[in-house]
Each structure stands twice: as C-alpha cells, then as structure tokens.
Amino acid sequence: MGRGKIEIKKIENPTNRQVTYSKRRAGIMKKASELTVLCDAQLSLVMFSSTGKFSEYCSPTTDTKSIYDRYQQVSGINLWSSQYEKMQNTLNHLKEINQTLRREIRQRMGEDLDGLEIKELRGLEQNMDESLKLVRNRKYHVISTQTDTYKKKLKNSQETHRNLLRELEAEHAVYYVDDDPNSYDGALALGNGPSYLYSFRSQPSQPNLQGMGYGPHDLRLA
C-alpha cells in the first residue's frame, strides 16, 4: 500500500516538530550537496530552527559572501544598505557624545566659556564645587590613612629600639650580689635583702675598668 498524503501545516507538538525539522534538514542538505555535484551549481543554504539554531550549506567552489554579492548584482537589491545606515547613525551619535565631552572638559579647565549664559555658568560652577569637594574629601581620607599607618610604623620602630637597648644593656652590664658578710656591702645587702642592693665589680674580661680606683662604695645600683 502507498503512503498517505501528509497535510502540510504547523506541527503543534514541540518534540515532534523538532524531530521533523532535524530529519528534513538533513534531507535538504543532502539534496543541496547532490545538486552541487551533479549540476555543477553554486548554492548557499541558510536555515534557522524555531529555537534559533543556525544551519548552513555552501558549495565547496564558492562562499556565502560571494553568493550574496552575486545576488545583489543580479537583483539590484542592496542587502547592506539598512545595516550601513544604522552603523552610520551610531557613528554620528558617538561623535556628538565625544564632542560634548571634550567641550565639557575644556570648560572645566576654564576654556571655551564665551558662549555660555549665566545659567550655564552657574551650573558649571556648582558642578566644579561638588567635584572639588569630592577631591578634597578623598585627599583628607588618604592623608588620614597614611598618617595612621606611619604612626603604627613609628610605634613599632620605637618599641623595637627599646628592646634592642635593653638587650644591649643586658650584654654589657654584669650584676651580682656581694654576699660576703664580712664586707660592708655584703652585710648591708644581707640586712636589706639581696634584691635591693647590687654592686659593680670589674671582671677579667673588662681590663679597662681594672685599677681605676672604684671602691665598693663608689658604684651601686639600688
């Protein structure tokens, strides 16, 4: 039995519609390729599905742009005129914006003010005052931040300096308690407690202090 005639109308079911499109797209692509080989024809085929998926075929002996150029020459239709007009309008608009911005920059620098009326001058003055206020606030913020940072660095440097001085004094000074009870210092130290009286004595490693005539009562650290 032969196949029944299929009514050509939109397939309402999205899944069935997509399946049918995929099958028939493959078929028309195959027909276009066969037509190119059998008849030495130049073809350009462009398709968009209902979901916006793009597919194309072009004969191997040419390209899509060449096909469009030949179409314009034969039909006399300019395919790019509307797009060129849009691009030209966009370019002109951007040029106007650029000129306006350049004029505003010159006016903020005190130039090109001759054509401004009193209202425009007042507006320009107000804008510059607001800009100046923002710049000053930012400057004060940066100064305050840098000042706090330098204060912290100075405090750390001073603390480090004090620690180094304490270490240096600990290395060059020798402290010990004279616990000889027969000496005056020893007796005084034992009477007052060893933590309140210390005496300096030169050590053999410090020859410069030998023979300088310092007695036990000359140097004390209470």
Side-chain angles (χ1 to χ4, degrees):
M1 296 179 61
R3 297 173 57 186
K5 186 177 181 180
I6 300 176
E7 183 180 3
I8 303 300
K9 66 177 183 178
K10 180 180 178 180
I11 302 175
E12 298 297 335
N13 186 283
T15 303
N16 295 339
R17 184 167 61 243
Q18 183 63 32
V19 171
T20 302
Y21 174 80
S22 298
K23 290 181 177 180
R24 300 213 171 195
R25 179 191 59 190
I28 196 171
M29 290 289 186
K30 180 180 180 181
K31 293 294 182 181
S33 177
E34 292 176 353
L35 188 60
T36 299
V37 175
L38 295 174
C39 303
D40 194 22
Q42 293 183 341
L43 284 80
S44 177
L45 182 62
V46 177
M47 291 184 293
F48 290 93
S49 67
S50 59
T51 59
K53 186 176 181 181
F54 169 71
S55 303
E56 69 172 338
Y57 172 82
C58 187
S59 301
T61 58
T62 185
D63 54 56
T64 303
K65 183 180 181 304
S66 299
I67 294 291
Y68 290 165
D69 291 340
R70 292 179 62 182
Y71 171 78
Q72 290 186 108
Q73 293 176 359
V74 174
S75 63
I77 300 176
N78 189 347
L79 298 175
W80 317 115
S81 58
S82 58
Q83 183 66 20
Y84 176 79
E85 184 177 355
K86 291 180 180 179
M87 294 177 60
Q88 193 67 31
N89 293 335
T90 302
L91 179 60
N92 294 334
H93 180 64
L94 293 176
K95 285 183 177 180
E96 292 178 359
I97 295 176
N98 184 47
Q99 292 176 358
T100 302
L101 292 176
R102 288 179 176 273
R103 183 171 61 253
E104 291 180 357
I105 292 175
R106 291 195 302 269
Q107 290 173 352
R108 288 177 180 270
M109 297 178 62
E111 302 175 359
D112 199 10
L113 302 176
D114 295 337
L116 298 181
E117 298 180 355
I118 183 65
K119 184 178 180 179
E120 296 174 333
L121 291 172
R122 287 177 178 175
L124 178 61
E125 182 182 12
Q126 183 177 0
N127 292 336
M128 293 183 67
D129 289 340
E130 294 176 356
S131 300
L132 181 60
K133 184 184 299 183
L134 294 175
V135 172
R136 284 178 176 172
N137 291 337
R138 178 59 184 173
K139 181 186 71 173
Y140 294 148
H141 175 73
V142 172
I143 292 176
S144 176
T145 302
Q146 292 182 352
T147 302
D148 293 339
T149 302
Y150 293 151
K151 285 182 179 179
K152 292 179 182 179
K153 290 183 179 180
L154 179 60
K155 183 178 180 180
N156 294 335
S157 299
Q158 291 175 344
E159 183 66 24
T160 303
H161 181 258
R162 286 192 293 268
N163 293 336
L164 291 175
L165 287 179
R166 285 194 291 267
E167 293 179 1
L168 185 62
E169 292 175 356
E171 291 181 357
H172 288 79
V174 179
Y175 305 98
Y176 65 95
V177 177
D178 189 352
D179 56 355
D180 185 4
N182 296 323
S183 65
Y184 173 79
D185 292 334
L188 185 60
L190 292 176
N192 296 332
S195 62
Y196 296 97
L197 180 62
Y198 299 91
S199 64
F200 283 85
R201 286 191 178 180
S202 60
Q203 299 300 310
S205 62
Q206 298 173 326
N208 293 334
L209 299 180
Q210 299 289 341
M212 295 181 64
Y214 293 105
H217 305 287
D218 296 328
L219 296 175
R220 286 184 177 86
L221 178 61

